[in-house]
PDB file of all heavy atoms in Angstrom:
ATOM      1  N   VAL A 611      -8.298  -2.230   3.970  1.00 98.00           N
ATOM      2  CA  VAL A 611      -7.705  -0.905   4.058  1.00 98.00           C
ATOM      3  C   VAL A 611      -7.013  -0.549   2.753  1.00 98.00           C
ATOM      4  O   VAL A 611      -7.265   0.503   2.162  1.00 98.00           O
ATOM      5  CB  VAL A 611      -6.714  -0.804   5.225  1.00 98.00           C
ATOM      6  CG1 VAL A 611      -6.057   0.573   5.263  1.00 98.00           C
ATOM      7  CG2 VAL A 611      -7.420  -1.099   6.544  1.00 98.00           C
ATOM      8  N   ALA A 612      -6.134  -1.417   2.303  1.00 98.00           N
ATOM      9  CA  ALA A 612      -5.385  -1.175   1.082  1.00 98.00           C
ATOM     10  C   ALA A 612      -4.845  -2.489   0.564  1.00 98.00           C
ATOM     11  O   ALA A 612      -4.573  -3.408   1.336  1.00 98.00           O
ATOM     12  CB  ALA A 612      -4.239  -0.186   1.312  1.00 98.00           C
ATOM     13  N   VAL A 613      -4.684  -2.575  -0.738  1.00 97.00           N
ATOM     14  CA  VAL A 613      -4.130  -3.769  -1.356  1.00 97.00           C
ATOM     15  C   VAL A 613      -3.212  -3.355  -2.500  1.00 97.00           C
ATOM     16  O   VAL A 613      -3.465  -2.355  -3.184  1.00 97.00           O
ATOM     17  CB  VAL A 613      -5.243  -4.722  -1.851  1.00 97.00           C
ATOM     18  CG1 VAL A 613      -6.100  -4.049  -2.913  1.00 97.00           C
ATOM     19  CG2 VAL A 613      -4.661  -6.027  -2.370  1.00 97.00           C
ATOM     20  N   ILE A 614      -2.153  -4.110  -2.685  1.00 94.00           N
ATOM     21  CA  ILE A 614      -1.262  -3.915  -3.818  1.00 94.00           C
ATOM     22  C   ILE A 614      -1.176  -5.240  -4.540  1.00 94.00           C
ATOM     23  O   ILE A 614      -0.930  -6.285  -3.934  1.00 94.00           O
ATOM     24  CB  ILE A 614       0.117  -3.384  -3.385  1.00 94.00           C
ATOM     25  CG1 ILE A 614       0.983  -3.096  -4.610  1.00 94.00           C
ATOM     26  CG2 ILE A 614       0.805  -4.326  -2.415  1.00 94.00           C
ATOM     27  CD1 ILE A 614       2.208  -2.240  -4.291  1.00 94.00           C
ATOM     28  N   ILE A 615      -1.399  -5.206  -5.842  1.00 89.00           N
ATOM     29  CA  ILE A 615      -1.515  -6.408  -6.654  1.00 89.00           C
ATOM     30  C   ILE A 615      -0.321  -6.518  -7.578  1.00 89.00           C
ATOM     31  O   ILE A 615       0.002  -5.573  -8.310  1.00 89.00           O
ATOM     32  CB  ILE A 615      -2.820  -6.394  -7.469  1.00 89.00           C
ATOM     33  CG1 ILE A 615      -4.015  -6.309  -6.526  1.00 89.00           C
ATOM     34  CG2 ILE A 615      -2.919  -7.634  -8.351  1.00 89.00           C
ATOM     35  CD1 ILE A 615      -5.330  -6.109  -7.230  1.00 89.00           C
ATOM     36  N   SER A 616       0.305  -7.669  -7.528  1.00 77.00           N
ATOM     37  CA  SER A 616       1.450  -7.981  -8.386  1.00 77.00           C
ATOM     38  C   SER A 616       2.468  -6.854  -8.326  1.00 77.00           C
ATOM     39  O   SER A 616       3.043  -6.602  -7.263  1.00 77.00           O
ATOM     40  CB  SER A 616       0.986  -8.261  -9.817  1.00 77.00           C
ATOM     41  OG  SER A 616       2.062  -8.724 -10.616  1.00 77.00           O
ATOM     42  N   GLY A 617       2.660  -6.176  -9.453  1.00 67.00           N
ATOM     43  CA  GLY A 617       3.683  -5.161  -9.505  1.00 67.00           C
ATOM     44  C   GLY A 617       3.346  -3.860  -8.820  1.00 67.00           C
ATOM     45  O   GLY A 617       4.024  -3.454  -7.867  1.00 67.00           O
ATOM     46  N   ASP A 618       2.271  -3.187  -9.257  1.00 77.00           N
ATOM     47  CA  ASP A 618       2.105  -1.816  -8.815  1.00 77.00           C
ATOM     48  C   ASP A 618       0.665  -1.337  -8.684  1.00 77.00           C
ATOM     49  O   ASP A 618       0.451  -0.191  -8.290  1.00 77.00           O
ATOM     50  CB  ASP A 618       2.842  -0.881  -9.778  1.00 77.00           C
ATOM     51  CG  ASP A 618       3.285   0.415  -9.133  1.00 77.00           C
ATOM     52  OD1 ASP A 618       3.451   0.446  -7.894  1.00 77.00           O
ATOM     53  OD2 ASP A 618       3.473   1.401  -9.850  1.00 77.00           O
ATOM     54  N   ARG A 619      -0.318  -2.147  -9.011  1.00 92.00           N
ATOM     55  CA  ARG A 619      -1.704  -1.710  -8.900  1.00 92.00           C
ATOM     56  C   ARG A 619      -2.133  -1.673  -7.445  1.00 92.00           C
ATOM     57  O   ARG A 619      -1.890  -2.620  -6.692  1.00 92.00           O
ATOM     58  CB  ARG A 619      -2.633  -2.631  -9.692  1.00 92.00           C
ATOM     59  CG  ARG A 619      -4.009  -2.042  -9.924  1.00 92.00           C
ATOM     60  CD  ARG A 619      -4.864  -2.990 -10.742  1.00 92.00           C
ATOM     61  NE  ARG A 619      -5.575  -3.928  -9.891  1.00 92.00           N
ATOM     62  CZ  ARG A 619      -6.268  -4.974 -10.330  1.00 92.00           C
ATOM     63  NH1 ARG A 619      -6.316  -5.234 -11.623  1.00 92.00           N
ATOM     64  NH2 ARG A 619      -6.888  -5.759  -9.478  1.00 92.00           N
ATOM     65  N   VAL A 620      -2.781  -0.592  -7.046  1.00 96.00           N
ATOM     66  CA  VAL A 620      -3.179  -0.414  -5.656  1.00 96.00           C
ATOM     67  C   VAL A 620      -4.647  -0.046  -5.573  1.00 96.00           C
ATOM     68  O   VAL A 620      -5.240   0.482  -6.516  1.00 96.00           O
ATOM     69  CB  VAL A 620      -2.327   0.659  -4.944  1.00 96.00           C
ATOM     70  CG1 VAL A 620      -0.862   0.261  -4.927  1.00 96.00           C
ATOM     71  CG2 VAL A 620      -2.496   2.010  -5.626  1.00 96.00           C
ATOM     72  N   ASN A 621      -5.231  -0.325  -4.432  1.00 97.00           N
ATOM     73  CA  ASN A 621      -6.612   0.019  -4.166  1.00 97.00           C
ATOM     74  C   ASN A 621      -6.742   0.365  -2.692  1.00 97.00           C
ATOM     75  O   ASN A 621      -6.134  -0.295  -1.844  1.00 97.00           O
ATOM     76  CB  ASN A 621      -7.550  -1.131  -4.531  1.00 97.00           C
ATOM     77  CG  ASN A 621      -9.010  -0.749  -4.436  1.00 97.00           C
ATOM     78  OD1 ASN A 621      -9.403   0.343  -4.822  1.00 97.00           O
ATOM     79  ND2 ASN A 621      -9.831  -1.664  -3.924  1.00 97.00           N
ATOM     80  N   TYR A 622      -7.544   1.386  -2.388  1.00 98.00           N
ATOM     81  CA  TYR A 622      -7.712   1.859  -1.026  1.00 98.00           C
ATOM     82  C   TYR A 622      -9.180   1.941  -0.655  1.00 98.00           C
ATOM     83  O   TYR A 622     -10.037   2.205  -1.496  1.00 98.00           O
ATOM     84  CB  TYR A 622      -7.109   3.251  -0.845  1.00 98.00           C
ATOM     85  CG  TYR A 622      -5.623   3.340  -1.063  1.00 98.00           C
ATOM     86  CD1 TYR A 622      -5.105   3.724  -2.293  1.00 98.00           C
ATOM     87  CD2 TYR A 622      -4.737   3.047  -0.030  1.00 98.00           C
ATOM     88  CE1 TYR A 622      -3.747   3.814  -2.497  1.00 98.00           C
ATOM     89  CE2 TYR A 622      -3.371   3.137  -0.230  1.00 98.00           C
ATOM     90  CZ  TYR A 622      -2.880   3.519  -1.458  1.00 98.00           C
ATOM     91  OH  TYR A 622      -1.524   3.610  -1.649  1.00 98.00           O
ATOM     92  N   ALA A 623      -9.443   1.733   0.619  1.00 98.00           N
ATOM     93  CA  ALA A 623     -10.760   2.052   1.138  1.00 98.00           C
ATOM     94  C   ALA A 623     -10.987   3.551   1.061  1.00 98.00           C
ATOM     95  O   ALA A 623     -10.057   4.347   1.217  1.00 98.00           O
ATOM     96  CB  ALA A 623     -10.891   1.575   2.583  1.00 98.00           C
ATOM     97  N   ASP A 624     -12.238   3.940   0.809  1.00 98.00           N
ATOM     98  CA  ASP A 624     -12.546   5.359   0.686  1.00 98.00           C
ATOM     99  C   ASP A 624     -12.148   6.141   1.940  1.00 98.00           C
ATOM    100  O   ASP A 624     -11.734   7.305   1.853  1.00 98.00           O
ATOM    101  CB  ASP A 624     -14.035   5.562   0.411  1.00 98.00           C
ATOM    102  CG  ASP A 624     -14.436   5.131  -0.986  1.00 98.00           C
ATOM    103  OD1 ASP A 624     -13.554   5.022  -1.862  1.00 98.00           O
ATOM    104  OD2 ASP A 624     -15.639   4.903  -1.211  1.00 98.00           O
ATOM    105  N   SER A 625     -12.253   5.515   3.084  1.00 97.00           N
ATOM    106  CA  SER A 625     -11.996   6.201   4.338  1.00 97.00           C
ATOM    107  C   SER A 625     -10.530   6.566   4.550  1.00 97.00           C
ATOM    108  O   SER A 625     -10.219   7.403   5.400  1.00 97.00           O
ATOM    109  CB  SER A 625     -12.481   5.354   5.516  1.00 97.00           C
ATOM    110  OG  SER A 625     -11.821   4.107   5.550  1.00 97.00           O
ATOM    111  N   VAL A 626      -9.629   5.957   3.787  1.00 98.00           N
ATOM    112  CA  VAL A 626      -8.205   6.214   3.985  1.00 98.00           C
ATOM    113  C   VAL A 626      -7.543   6.849   2.778  1.00 98.00           C
ATOM    114  O   VAL A 626      -6.350   7.181   2.840  1.00 98.00           O
ATOM    115  CB  VAL A 626      -7.449   4.929   4.374  1.00 98.00           C
ATOM    116  CG1 VAL A 626      -8.103   4.265   5.579  1.00 98.00           C
ATOM    117  CG2 VAL A 626      -7.379   3.963   3.196  1.00 98.00           C
ATOM    118  N   LYS A 627      -8.275   7.033   1.694  1.00 98.00           N
ATOM    119  CA  LYS A 627      -7.694   7.635   0.507  1.00 98.00           C
ATOM    120  C   LYS A 627      -7.157   9.026   0.819  1.00 98.00           C
ATOM    121  O   LYS A 627      -7.814   9.830   1.471  1.00 98.00           O
ATOM    122  CB  LYS A 627      -8.730   7.716  -0.613  1.00 98.00           C
ATOM    123  CG  LYS A 627      -9.060   6.381  -1.248  1.00 98.00           C
ATOM    124  CD  LYS A 627     -10.084   6.531  -2.369  1.00 98.00           C
ATOM    125  CE  LYS A 627     -10.400   5.193  -3.019  1.00 98.00           C
ATOM    126  NZ  LYS A 627     -11.437   5.311  -4.065  1.00 98.00           N
ATOM    127  N   GLY A 628      -5.964   9.292   0.333  1.00 97.00           N
ATOM    128  CA  GLY A 628      -5.326  10.567   0.579  1.00 97.00           C
ATOM    129  C   GLY A 628      -4.541  10.629   1.862  1.00 97.00           C
ATOM    130  O   GLY A 628      -3.783  11.583   2.070  1.00 97.00           O
ATOM    131  N   ARG A 629      -4.707   9.643   2.727  1.00 98.00           N
ATOM    132  CA  ARG A 629      -3.992   9.626   4.001  1.00 98.00           C
ATOM    133  C   ARG A 629      -3.020   8.445   4.115  1.00 98.00           C
ATOM    134  O   ARG A 629      -1.958   8.585   4.705  1.00 98.00           O
ATOM    135  CB  ARG A 629      -4.974   9.573   5.170  1.00 98.00           C
ATOM    136  CG  ARG A 629      -5.920  10.764   5.235  1.00 98.00           C
ATOM    137  CD  ARG A 629      -6.728  10.757   6.526  1.00 98.00           C
ATOM    138  NE  ARG A 629      -7.613   9.590   6.611  1.00 98.00           N
ATOM    139  CZ  ARG A 629      -7.560   8.678   7.577  1.00 98.00           C
ATOM    140  NH1 ARG A 629      -6.661   8.785   8.550  1.00 98.00           N
ATOM    141  NH2 ARG A 629      -8.409   7.654   7.587  1.00 98.00           N
ATOM    142  N   PHE A 630      -3.410   7.300   3.575  1.00 98.00           N
ATOM    143  CA  PHE A 630      -2.598   6.090   3.677  1.00 98.00           C
ATOM    144  C   PHE A 630      -1.970   5.775   2.329  1.00 98.00           C
ATOM    145  O   PHE A 630      -2.559   6.031   1.274  1.00 98.00           O
ATOM    146  CB  PHE A 630      -3.443   4.891   4.107  1.00 98.00           C
ATOM    147  CG  PHE A 630      -3.967   4.946   5.521  1.00 98.00           C
ATOM    148  CD1 PHE A 630      -3.833   6.080   6.303  1.00 98.00           C
ATOM    149  CD2 PHE A 630      -4.590   3.833   6.059  1.00 98.00           C
ATOM    150  CE1 PHE A 630      -4.320   6.123   7.598  1.00 98.00           C
ATOM    151  CE2 PHE A 630      -5.078   3.858   7.352  1.00 98.00           C
ATOM    152  CZ  PHE A 630      -4.947   4.998   8.125  1.00 98.00           C
ATOM    153  N   THR A 631      -0.795   5.177   2.368  1.00 98.00           N
ATOM    154  CA  THR A 631      -0.106   4.748   1.169  1.00 98.00           C
ATOM    155  C   THR A 631       0.461   3.355   1.376  1.00 98.00           C
ATOM    156  O   THR A 631       1.191   3.118   2.342  1.00 98.00           O
ATOM    157  CB  THR A 631       1.033   5.707   0.793  1.00 98.00           C
ATOM    158  OG1 THR A 631       0.523   7.033   0.621  1.00 98.00           O
ATOM    159  CG2 THR A 631       1.693   5.257  -0.508  1.00 98.00           C
ATOM    160  N   ILE A 632       0.120   2.449   0.472  1.00 97.00           N
ATOM    161  CA  ILE A 632       0.674   1.108   0.518  1.00 97.00           C
ATOM    162  C   ILE A 632       1.807   1.010  -0.493  1.00 97.00           C
ATOM    163  O   ILE A 632       1.732   1.578  -1.584  1.00 97.00           O
ATOM    164  CB  ILE A 632      -0.408   0.037   0.252  1.00 97.00           C
ATOM    165  CG1 ILE A 632       0.145  -1.372   0.511  1.00 97.00           C
ATOM    166  CG2 ILE A 632      -0.984   0.152  -1.149  1.00 97.00           C
ATOM    167  CD1 ILE A 632      -0.920  -2.457   0.495  1.00 97.00           C
ATOM    168  N   SER A 633       2.851   0.313  -0.123  1.00 94.00           N
ATOM    169  CA  SER A 633       3.989   0.126  -1.007  1.00 94.00           C
ATOM    170  C   SER A 633       4.614  -1.232  -0.745  1.00 94.00           C
ATOM    171  O   SER A 633       4.326  -1.886   0.256  1.00 94.00           O
ATOM    172  CB  SER A 633       5.019   1.250  -0.831  1.00 94.00           C
ATOM    173  OG  SER A 633       5.533   1.263   0.489  1.00 94.00           O
ATOM    174  N   ARG A 634       5.478  -1.626  -1.656  1.00 91.00           N
ATOM    175  CA  ARG A 634       6.082  -2.952  -1.569  1.00 91.00           C
ATOM    176  C   ARG A 634       7.543  -2.881  -1.958  1.00 91.00           C
ATOM    177  O   ARG A 634       7.907  -2.243  -2.939  1.00 91.00           O
ATOM    178  CB  ARG A 634       5.317  -3.915  -2.485  1.00 91.00           C
ATOM    179  CG  ARG A 634       5.695  -5.373  -2.360  1.00 91.00           C
ATOM    180  CD  ARG A 634       4.735  -6.216  -3.183  1.00 91.00           C
ATOM    181  NE  ARG A 634       4.973  -7.643  -3.033  1.00 91.00           N
ATOM    182  CZ  ARG A 634       4.208  -8.589  -3.557  1.00 91.00           C
ATOM    183  NH1 ARG A 634       3.133  -8.254  -4.263  1.00 91.00           N
ATOM    184  NH2 ARG A 634       4.501  -9.872  -3.374  1.00 91.00           N
ATOM    185  N   ASP A 635       8.357  -3.556  -1.172  1.00 88.00           N
ATOM    186  CA  ASP A 635       9.774  -3.691  -1.460  1.00 88.00           C
ATOM    187  C   ASP A 635      10.006  -5.148  -1.831  1.00 88.00           C
ATOM    188  O   ASP A 635      10.067  -6.013  -0.953  1.00 88.00           O
ATOM    189  CB  ASP A 635      10.625  -3.282  -0.258  1.00 88.00           C
ATOM    190  CG  ASP A 635      12.104  -3.271  -0.574  1.00 88.00           C
ATOM    191  OD1 ASP A 635      12.540  -3.986  -1.487  1.00 88.00           O
ATOM    192  OD2 ASP A 635      12.843  -2.527   0.107  1.00 88.00           O
ATOM    193  N   ASN A 636      10.112  -5.416  -3.110  1.00 79.00           N
ATOM    194  CA  ASN A 636      10.243  -6.795  -3.564  1.00 79.00           C
ATOM    195  C   ASN A 636      11.554  -7.440  -3.118  1.00 79.00           C
ATOM    196  O   ASN A 636      11.594  -8.647  -2.863  1.00 79.00           O
ATOM    197  CB  ASN A 636      10.125  -6.854  -5.090  1.00 79.00           C
ATOM    198  CG  ASN A 636       8.748  -6.523  -5.581  1.00 79.00           C
ATOM    199  OD1 ASN A 636       7.753  -6.823  -4.926  1.00 79.00           O
ATOM    200  ND2 ASN A 636       8.661  -5.904  -6.756  1.00 79.00           N
ATOM    201  N   ASP A 637      12.603  -6.656  -3.032  1.00 80.00           N
ATOM    202  CA  ASP A 637      13.886  -7.203  -2.605  1.00 80.00           C
ATOM    203  C   ASP A 637      13.829  -7.692  -1.165  1.00 80.00           C
ATOM    204  O   ASP A 637      14.501  -8.664  -0.808  1.00 80.00           O
ATOM    205  CB  ASP A 637      14.989  -6.164  -2.757  1.00 80.00           C
ATOM    206  CG  ASP A 637      15.278  -5.836  -4.206  1.00 80.00           C
ATOM    207  OD1 ASP A 637      15.002  -6.679  -5.077  1.00 80.00           O
ATOM    208  OD2 ASP A 637      15.796  -4.730  -4.464  1.00 80.00           O
ATOM    209  N   LYS A 638      13.039  -7.027  -0.340  1.00 80.00           N
ATOM    210  CA  LYS A 638      12.918  -7.394   1.061  1.00 80.00           C
ATOM    211  C   LYS A 638      11.681  -8.242   1.347  1.00 80.00           C
ATOM    212  O   LYS A 638      11.465  -8.634   2.495  1.00 80.00           O
ATOM    213  CB  LYS A 638      12.883  -6.147   1.938  1.00 80.00           C
ATOM    214  CG  LYS A 638      14.146  -5.311   1.876  1.00 80.00           C
ATOM    215  CD  LYS A 638      14.044  -4.098   2.788  1.00 80.00           C
ATOM    216  CE  LYS A 638      15.311  -3.273   2.761  1.00 80.00           C
ATOM    217  NZ  LYS A 638      15.212  -2.077   3.649  1.00 80.00           N
ATOM    218  N   ASN A 639      10.868  -8.502   0.323  1.00 87.00           N
ATOM    219  CA  ASN A 639       9.621  -9.250   0.499  1.00 87.00           C
ATOM    220  C   ASN A 639       8.774  -8.644   1.612  1.00 87.00           C
ATOM    221  O   ASN A 639       8.228  -9.354   2.466  1.00 87.00           O
ATOM    222  CB  ASN A 639       9.912 -10.720   0.780  1.00 87.00           C
ATOM    223  CG  ASN A 639      10.634 -11.401  -0.356  1.00 87.00           C
ATOM    224  OD1 ASN A 639      10.281 -11.222  -1.526  1.00 87.00           O
ATOM    225  ND2 ASN A 639      11.645 -12.194  -0.034  1.00 87.00           N
ATOM    226  N   THR A 640       8.649  -7.346   1.577  1.00 92.00           N
ATOM    227  CA  THR A 640       7.968  -6.613   2.626  1.00 92.00           C
ATOM    228  C   THR A 640       6.987  -5.623   2.018  1.00 92.00           C
ATOM    229  O   THR A 640       7.299  -4.961   1.019  1.00 92.00           O
ATOM    230  CB  THR A 640       8.972  -5.868   3.515  1.00 92.00           C
ATOM    231  OG1 THR A 640       9.883  -6.810   4.104  1.00 92.00           O
ATOM    232  CG2 THR A 640       8.266  -5.109   4.626  1.00 92.00           C
ATOM    233  N   VAL A 641       5.813  -5.529   2.623  1.00 95.00           N
ATOM    234  CA  VAL A 641       4.820  -4.549   2.228  1.00 95.00           C
ATOM    235  C   VAL A 641       4.650  -3.566   3.381  1.00 95.00           C
ATOM    236  O   VAL A 641       4.715  -3.948   4.554  1.00 95.00           O
ATOM    237  CB  VAL A 641       3.481  -5.208   1.835  1.00 95.00           C
ATOM    238  CG1 VAL A 641       2.838  -5.909   3.026  1.00 95.00           C
ATOM    239  CG2 VAL A 641       2.533  -4.190   1.232  1.00 95.00           C
ATOM    240  N   TYR A 642       4.439  -2.304   3.040  1.00 96.00           N
ATOM    241  CA  TYR A 642       4.340  -1.250   4.027  1.00 96.00           C
ATOM    242  C   TYR A 642       3.000  -0.543   3.911  1.00 96.00           C
ATOM    243  O   TYR A 642       2.375  -0.516   2.853  1.00 96.00           O
ATOM    244  CB  TYR A 642       5.452  -0.218   3.837  1.00 96.00           C
ATOM    245  CG  TYR A 642       6.845  -0.787   3.876  1.00 96.00           C
ATOM    246  CD1 TYR A 642       7.494  -1.156   2.695  1.00 96.00           C
ATOM    247  CD2 TYR A 642       7.518  -0.961   5.074  1.00 96.00           C
ATOM    248  CE1 TYR A 642       8.771  -1.674   2.722  1.00 96.00           C
ATOM    249  CE2 TYR A 642       8.795  -1.479   5.109  1.00 96.00           C
ATOM    250  CZ  TYR A 642       9.418  -1.833   3.931  1.00 96.00           C
ATOM    251  OH  TYR A 642      10.691  -2.347   3.964  1.00 96.00           O
ATOM    252  N   LEU A 643       2.588   0.034   5.009  1.00 98.00           N
ATOM    253  CA  LEU A 643       1.435   0.914   5.017  1.00 98.00           C
ATOM    254  C   LEU A 643       1.823   2.180   5.764  1.00 98.00           C
ATOM    255  O   LEU A 643       1.959   2.162   6.989  1.00 98.00           O
ATOM    256  CB  LEU A 643       0.224   0.253   5.672  1.00 98.00           C
ATOM    257  CG  LEU A 643      -1.070   1.066   5.623  1.00 98.00           C
ATOM    258  CD1 LEU A 643      -1.577   1.182   4.182  1.00 98.00           C
ATOM    259  CD2 LEU A 643      -2.145   0.448   6.514  1.00 98.00           C
ATOM    260  N   GLN A 644       2.018   3.252   5.020  1.00 98.00           N
ATOM    261  CA  GLN A 644       2.302   4.545   5.612  1.00 98.00           C
ATOM    262  C   GLN A 644       0.985   5.226   5.931  1.00 98.00           C
ATOM    263  O   GLN A 644       0.170   5.455   5.034  1.00 98.00           O
ATOM    264  CB  GLN A 644       3.129   5.412   4.658  1.00 98.00           C
ATOM    265  CG  GLN A 644       3.446   6.804   5.192  1.00 98.00           C
ATOM    266  CD  GLN A 644       4.367   6.773   6.378  1.00 98.00           C
ATOM    267  OE1 GLN A 644       5.382   6.072   6.363  1.00 98.00           O
ATOM    268  NE2 GLN A 644       4.024   7.517   7.426  1.00 98.00           N
ATOM    269  N   MET A 645       0.773   5.548   7.187  1.00 98.00           N
ATOM    270  CA  MET A 645      -0.478   6.113   7.652  1.00 98.00           C
ATOM    271  C   MET A 645      -0.212   7.522   8.175  1.00 98.00           C
ATOM    272  O   MET A 645       0.489   7.700   9.171  1.00 98.00           O
ATOM    273  CB  MET A 645      -1.109   5.247   8.741  1.00 98.00           C
ATOM    274  CG  MET A 645      -1.333   3.800   8.314  1.00 98.00           C
ATOM    275  SD  MET A 645      -2.192   2.818   9.574  1.00 98.00           S
ATOM    276  CE  MET A 645      -0.946   2.809  10.866  1.00 98.00           C
ATOM    277  N   ASN A 646      -0.776   8.496   7.494  1.00 98.00           N
ATOM    278  CA  ASN A 646      -0.646   9.888   7.881  1.00 98.00           C
ATOM    279  C   ASN A 646      -2.014  10.451   8.242  1.00 98.00           C
ATOM    280  O   ASN A 646      -3.045   9.932   7.826  1.00 98.00           O
ATOM    281  CB  ASN A 646      -0.033  10.719   6.745  1.00 98.00           C
ATOM    282  CG  ASN A 646       1.359  10.280   6.377  1.00 98.00           C
ATOM    283  OD1 ASN A 646       2.146   9.869   7.224  1.00 98.00           O
ATOM    284  ND2 ASN A 646       1.678  10.381   5.083  1.00 98.00           N
TER     285      ASN A 646
END
């Protein structure tokens, strides 16, 4: 669906581009997927 590499590089499946956003909170060691 989506991947975030190291600091900030991201990649999305074509089917979710423009709708989903992946992000990462390094302080919380947590990755998020916002799905709209």
Side-chain angles (χ1 to χ4, degrees):
V611 177
V613 62
I614 184 165
I615 301 172
S616 187
D618 207 24
R619 195 179 88 189
V620 299
N621 187 41
Y622 297 96
D624 289 341
S625 60
V626 306
K627 287 181 179 177
R629 299 188 296 120
F630 292 8
T631 303
I632 188 170
S633 62
R634 188 172 184 174
D635 186 335
N636 292 327
D637 292 335
K638 297 181 179 180
N639 298 316
T640 301
V641 65
Y642 303 94
L643 185 67
Q644 179 67 47
M645 304 184 294
N646 298 325

